[in-house]
Amino acid sequence: MTAVAQSVDHDPKTGLWSWITTVDHKRIGLLYAVTAFAFFLIAGIEALLIRAQLAGPDGTVLSAEAYNQLFTMHGLTMVFLVVMPIASAFINYLLPLMLGARDVAFPRLNAFSYWLFLFAGLMIYSSFLFGGAPDGAWVGYSPLAGQLTETVRMDFWAVGLQLLGVASIASSVNFIATVFTMRAPGMTMLRMPVFVWMALVIAFLLLFSLPAVGIGLFQLFLDRNFGAVFYEAAAGADPLLWQHLFWIFGHPEVYVLVLPAMGIVSEILPVFSRKPLFGYEFVVFSGAAIGFIGFGVWSHHMFTSGMGPVAEAGFAVSTMIIAVPTGVKIFNWIGTTWGGRLRMATPMLFSLGFIAQFVIGGLSGVTHAIVPTDYQQHDTYYVVAHFHYVLFGGAIFGYVAGVYYWFPKWTGRMLDERLGKIHFWLMVLGFNLTFAPMHILGLNGMPRRTYRYPEGLGYEFWNGMATIGAFIIALSFVFFIINLVRARRHGGVAGDDPWDGRTLEWATPSPPPEHNFDEVPLVRSLDDFWHTKYAEDEEGRAVRVPAVTGAATDADTEAGDDHEAIHMPSPSYYPALASLGLVVFGYGMIYLNWGWIAVGVGAIVALWGLFGWSLEPVTKGDDH
Amino acid sequence: MTTDTVLDALPPEHGEEHDVHHIRKTAMWVFLGSECIFFGSMISTFLLYRTTTGDGPGAELFNVPFTSASSFVLLMSSLTMVLAHHAFERHDTRQGRVWLSATALLGATFLAGQIFEFTEFVHSGLTLSTSPFGSSFYMLTGFHGAHVAIGVMMLTAMAILSTSGRLHHGRGLNVELVGLYWHFVDIVWIVIFTVVYLLQV
Ligand SMILES: [Cu+2]
């Protein structure tokens, strides 16, 4: 085993260049996490500015123009640059570990996805320097988005989202191939952790939904820059086409944002209840069912667009149906905690917060399924309240739970429990104070996306409360950042398995070595790692098995590998180069008058990266 | 046999091999699934707008015999692709290179036909801006053409690589994967040809 450890140590592992060229799924996962957190802080500042503007009637903090840019960028950032990449961070880091694999199927493609995401995100934000950020809402409805042509703001949006979509499709292909082909021996599909299942479902969701919005974005871009008339009503076109293409993507997208968080919670609850997940198969298949039905509900976003009663009734029914598998999951989570020996550590608190708040958001979502009710709620703050309960009270709580849970694995250090609990309670308070009042505001008729409201409509009090709440959320994250920074240096040493975990990542050191497992584990059951630690007595209670140091060291894992060195894929700068080329190409497309130079340079750089990448050997010294 | 030792490090599961080529093929199939939605969205748009011609020309512009001929050329390129694949399976690099080049040439011929056709249509007054019909026609066939062009580039690159013996299964760029892609692009053309050219007449 010492031979193993030495053989993988031939590359320098520190310095900027090692991060740029890394193809290690764990390092890429950390890059995703840090980048997403940085964008999260930016989106949070945008939200605070929005709330400051709306704190009282006739707000004067922001102009209408600035407000339009900020709410557009807040939505776009949270969806594409925060929640999707933070999900990607968890999946990158954990998927191979949980499957007992040494990396994802395509390590360099993985690096390409990250760099393209980063560069495209920076590109969208660079629009602030070039005359202003996108200001047509993150949904970019036509004909509005086609008509805001005095600036290139919406071109940044169209090109930026397109590139982010390419990055996501590449990771989806990668994750699906990893799950289908890289599982450790004995890791059957129904022995995979729920988190891996949810990662698989969202990979398919992205794979089949992103191309639809991609086409929509191309059409819009052609309309804006090349005189096409896809959304030009005067030429006989139907601008509603945009809404269809967008929401065929957009609804599966909301599951993309929340299913990984559901997977995280499904991993945390059993560990902190010291019970297996209640109804594993139900959780898995309800997740898959959500994936399928998720493609048949998109028009519930369009009830007020005049589709006619048949379509409206159909989509109303399908939307109510999709609530069923979600409800199944909720009952399974409650069943998991039922009768368990609960440990109320911070990851558990955030998971329980997730369940409670997600239920509220889910229920207000079902009210949108009822068409006449939806007519009243459409484009009001009630909708804003709903999706923040699902995406912040749900998804973000789930991801924060995941950070508290896996931070010890990533860094070898524990986060502080006391600071964690302060973070949790402040965040619960701030979150509910911000978004619960928006239900009332919405039902009282306050429209979304308006930069100010006049006095005397009864909006003042609850808007004031929401603004106070938003600043409490910000405060809670100050505690989170202090905790993260402190723990990095001074946190308690975690050890391999600080939470008494159930899944394979806890069988590795914290942080895991580059090759993850010295010996590939052999999996015999669901929660295999747990069963190497505990047996059952006659009454079915868990009894500690004395001193076996983990599943990975089982005697009957494959022999004959002991003396063979494990070659990990070599670092490569081609993925970063190819993605840089694509983004330069994108800039050129936006400023086509002179940008044809950038188009040419970008295309050459991208092709250089792609060809270099496809021709270089995966591992050094193996070109034969 | 394969060069990717990350995967070699995994033991065979139930007697079947975890080999890198199998993994790449899985990924290619998955990617092509995504491409189906990509083309499906454009075909849907075209179907929505196929009669929305405004004052401009519509389907009467199509020269079905001409496009049938270029479709036939593209179909034949699938045949030569299969022959190239078989040749490389037999380790007959020389013949494989001939068939690869033939495939690239047939693809390029198809593209030339498309450029000719586009020029004709523009002269007859159908541009991207004429009508939603024009917009969706050029976008759909244009993106398909771009796929063919990328395929021709990969075929050419492989033909050149094979002269120095640097073309083998261990690489991301290999005959079987590009073959899958190429057949897919051909099949998509059959759908486009049917929906756009034949159903209009
Ligand atoms: Cu929806």
Side-chain angles (χ1 to χ4, degrees):
Chain A
M1 237 183 282
T2 42
V4 165
Q6 281 157 5
S7 69
V8 295
D9 245 7
H10 49 73
D11 292 310
K13 288 293 183 295
T14 50
L16 185 62
W17 188 246
S18 80
W19 284 97
I20 292 174
T21 58
T22 187
V23 292
D24 177 354
H25 71 96
K26 298 179 290 299
R27 294 186 121 202
I28 293 171
L30 293 177
L31 285 171
Y32 265 113
V34 170
T35 314
F37 192 64
F39 279 123
F40 177 71
L41 296 180
I42 295 169
I45 291 166
E46 287 159 357
L48 291 180
L49 287 168
I50 290 169
R51 283 317 317 166
Q53 164 72 9
L54 296 176
D58 301 316
T60 52
V61 178
L62 300 171
S63 65
E65 202 197 0
Y67 186 88
N68 288 347
Q69 294 174 45
L70 286 179
F71 84 72
T72 301
M73 289 302 285
H74 170 75
L76 190 158
T77 308
M78 285 303 296
V79 171
F80 290 100
L81 306 179
V82 178
V83 176
M84 282 172 79
I86 197 70
S88 209
F90 281 104
I91 296 171
N92 259 295
Y93 204 102
L94 295 169
L95 191 76
L97 285 168
M98 286 179 159
L99 291 174
R102 294 219 155 99
D103 208 318
V104 291
F106 303 101
R108 290 174 299 176
L109 186 65
N110 204 20
F112 170 78
S113 293
Y114 168 74
W115 291 108
L116 188 54
F117 145 67
L118 173 68
F119 292 146
L122 293 177
M123 173 194 187
I124 296 173
Y125 265 89
S126 74
S127 62
F128 276 110
L129 307 173
F130 295 114
D135 54 356
W138 82 280
V139 295
Y141 273 6
S142 275
L144 176 69
Q147 288 166 355
L148 294 169
T149 47
E150 56 297 352
T151 64
V152 292
R153 291 168 183 180
M154 291 310 278
D155 294 317
F156 270 96
W157 166 84
V159 174
L161 289 198
Q162 193 72 267
L163 294 171
L164 290 170
V166 172
S168 286
I169 287 180
S171 352
S172 300
V173 170
N174 207 346
F175 295 149
I176 291 170
T178 306
V179 171
F180 281 169
T181 61
M182 304 279 288
R183 303 191 305 278
M187 179 64 82
T188 58
M189 293 299 274
L190 284 176
R191 289 179 190 165
M192 299 195 308
V194 173
F195 178 76
V196 174
W197 264 104
M198 295 305 114
L200 181 66
V201 171
I202 72 151
F204 273 109
L205 285 173
L206 286 169
L207 191 75
F208 292 134
S209 67
L210 275 168
V213 78
I215 292 302
L217 289 166
F218 274 131
Q219 292 173 343
L220 195 72
F221 193 80
L222 290 172
D223 272 16
R224 290 174 57 87
N225 297 285
F226 293 91
V229 289
F230 287 104
Y231 300 115
E232 194 61 55
D238 182 1
L240 217 54
L241 173 65
W242 167 262
Q243 289 194 38
H244 283 288
L245 288 174
F246 184 84
W247 287 115
I248 285 172
F249 152 77
H251 190 85
E253 171 70 9
V254 304
Y255 291 109
V256 168
L257 302 176
V258 85
L259 282 176
M262 290 180 164
I264 288 171
V265 167
S266 304
E267 298 302 327
I268 291 176
L269 289 173
V271 169
F272 291 87
S273 307
R274 299 184 69 76
K275 277 176 63 191
L277 183 68
F278 180 74
Y280 167 87
E281 287 86 354
F282 284 91
V283 179
V284 166
F285 287 120
S286 62
I290 288 174
F292 281 110
I293 308 170
F295 279 102
V297 300
W298 77 89
S299 284
H300 62 210
H301 297 267
M302 303 166 58
F303 284 150
T304 56
S305 67
M307 294 182 299
V310 177
E312 286 176 0
F315 282 102
V317 170
S318 66
T319 304
M320 289 181 220
I321 289 172
I322 203 169
V324 174
T326 312
V328 168
K329 278 184 187 308
I330 306 273
F331 284 115
N332 279 288
W333 291 327
I334 296 173
T336 304
T337 57
W338 195 267
R341 281 191 285 134
L342 306 189
R343 279 184 292 165
M344 287 298 170
T346 314
M348 183 67 165
L349 288 177
F350 275 97
S351 299
L352 295 175
F354 168 96
I355 297 174
Q357 288 159 176
F358 187 83
V359 166
I360 297 173
L363 289 175
S364 63
V366 177
T367 68
H368 301 318
I370 298 148
V371 179
T373 317
D374 185 71
Y375 275 32
Q376 302 304 312
Q377 297 159 351
H378 190 85
D379 267 354
T380 70
Y381 262 85
Y382 187 87
V383 176
V384 180
H386 155 69
F387 68 70
H388 280 90
Y389 263 86
V390 176
L391 295 180
F392 197 108
I396 298 281
F397 269 72
Y399 293 116
V400 173
V403 172
Y404 278 98
Y405 181 56
W406 280 297
F407 186 87
K409 181 52 60 189
W410 299 340
T411 63
R413 302 277 184 172
M414 303 295 289
L415 284 165
D416 185 68
E417 275 293 307
R418 210 166 51 89
L419 285 172
K421 280 173 182 147
I422 296 172
H423 175 198
F424 172 72
W425 288 111
L426 279 178
M427 195 161 141
V428 168
L429 175 71
F431 166 74
N432 286 289
L433 192 59
T434 308
F435 295 106
M438 291 186 189
H439 291 107
I440 302 166
L441 286 170
L443 292 177
N444 284 339
M446 181 170 168
R448 305 166 67 173
R449 300 179 183 129
T450 44
Y451 85 113
R452 54 164 59 160
Y453 51 89
E455 211 169 340
L457 293 176
Y459 299 155
E460 295 89 345
F461 177 72
W462 290 118
N463 269 301
M465 287 295 121
T467 300
I468 294 171
F471 280 89
I472 294 176
I473 297 175
L475 179 67
S476 78
F477 274 91
V478 172
F479 284 93
F480 186 47
I481 293 168
I482 293 171
N483 203 351
L484 290 172
V485 173
R486 239 190 105 266
R488 195 75 190 76
R489 291 270 160 100
H490 309 291
V493 174
D496 294 359
D497 184 20
W499 306 116
D500 204 3
R502 312 179 74 88
T503 37
L504 277 175
E505 75 272 24
W506 302 109
T508 64
S510 306
E514 192 192 351
H515 57 283
N516 292 351
F517 299 95
D518 289 344
E519 286 171 63
V520 172
L522 181 67
V523 179
R524 292 189 206 75
S525 66
L526 182 66
D527 288 340
D528 190 64
F529 180 55
W530 173 267
H531 294 299
T532 63
K533 296 188 290 183
Y534 292 95
E536 279 186 2
D537 66 12
E538 307 84 68
E539 277 118 68
R541 281 177 307 211
V543 183
R544 189 100 203 183
V545 177
V548 184
T549 41
T553 56
D554 261 349
D556 53 355
T557 44
E558 22 90 59
D561 202 42
D562 300 46
H563 306 291
E564 212 175 298
I566 302 166
H567 292 289
M568 295 307 292
S570 306
S572 172
Y573 59 86
Y574 286 120
L577 190 70
S579 52
L580 186 67
L582 284 178
V583 172
V584 172
F585 183 89
Y587 272 111
M589 291 304 287
I590 294 176
Y591 295 102
L592 211 56
N593 292 335
W594 55 266
W596 55 270
I597 306 170
V599 168
V601 172
I604 290 166
V605 172
L607 284 177
W608 174 22
L610 289 171
F611 269 96
W613 165 7
S614 63
L615 297 182
E616 81 176 338
V618 176
T619 313
K620 267 187 200 135
D622 262 341
D623 191 16
H624 47 67
Chain B
M1 45 157 273
T2 69
T3 59
D4 198 332
T5 40
V6 188
L7 309 161
D8 290 345
L10 287 179
E13 183 189 354
H14 310 304
E16 83 185 73
E17 291 234 317
H18 273 285
D19 79 287
V20 62
H21 193 62
H22 167 67
I23 296 175
R24 287 195 177 124
K25 269 206 301 199
T26 307
M28 181 54 94
W29 279 108
V30 169
F31 170 69
L32 294 179
S34 187
E35 289 273 87
C36 288
I37 311 293
F38 186 84
F39 282 105
S41 302
M42 283 190 287
I43 290 170
S44 309
T45 304
F46 181 83
L47 287 173
L48 177 68
Y49 289 148
R50 52 184 243 173
T51 54
T52 318
T53 50
D55 303 327
E60 69 275 5
L61 280 184
F62 295 145
N63 181 347
V64 174
F66 175 84
T67 315
S68 302
S70 69
S71 303
F72 182 74
V73 168
L74 195 63
L75 276 185
M76 284 304 104
S77 78
S78 259
L79 181 66
T80 54
M81 188 73 231
V82 172
L83 292 171
H85 184 224
H86 278 294
F88 281 106
E89 294 276 271
R90 295 193 312 265
H91 302 286
D92 188 346
T93 309
R94 215 183 53 82
Q95 202 165 60
R97 183 159 57 242
V98 170
W99 289 123
L100 274 185
S101 311
T103 311
L105 204 65
L106 289 169
T109 310
F110 172 83
L111 284 177
Q114 197 168 37
I115 291 167
F116 171 76
E117 194 186 55
F118 279 14
T119 321
E120 289 285 287
F121 292 167
V122 170
H123 283 205
S124 320
L126 184 73
T127 67
L128 192 69
S129 321
T130 310
S131 60
F133 169 82
S135 297
S136 42
F137 169 78
Y138 283 112
M139 185 181 178
L140 173 57
T141 51
F143 266 107
H144 181 267
H147 276 73
V148 175
I150 289 169
V152 169
M153 278 166 60
M154 292 195 289
L155 290 165
T156 313
M158 288 195 303
I160 294 169
L161 283 174
S162 70
T163 58
S164 54
R166 292 196 296 157
L167 183 68
H168 54 75
H169 257 47
R171 290 202 190 286
L173 189 67
N174 69 54
V175 177
E176 197 176 355
L177 282 192
V178 175
L180 270 178
Y181 171 87
W182 190 258
H183 296 314
F184 172 79
V185 171
D186 281 6
I187 291 167
V188 169
W189 179 255
I190 294 173
V191 177
I192 293 176
F193 181 62
T194 311
V195 168
V196 175
Y197 292 83
L198 296 183
L199 289 186
Q200 299 274 354
V201 187

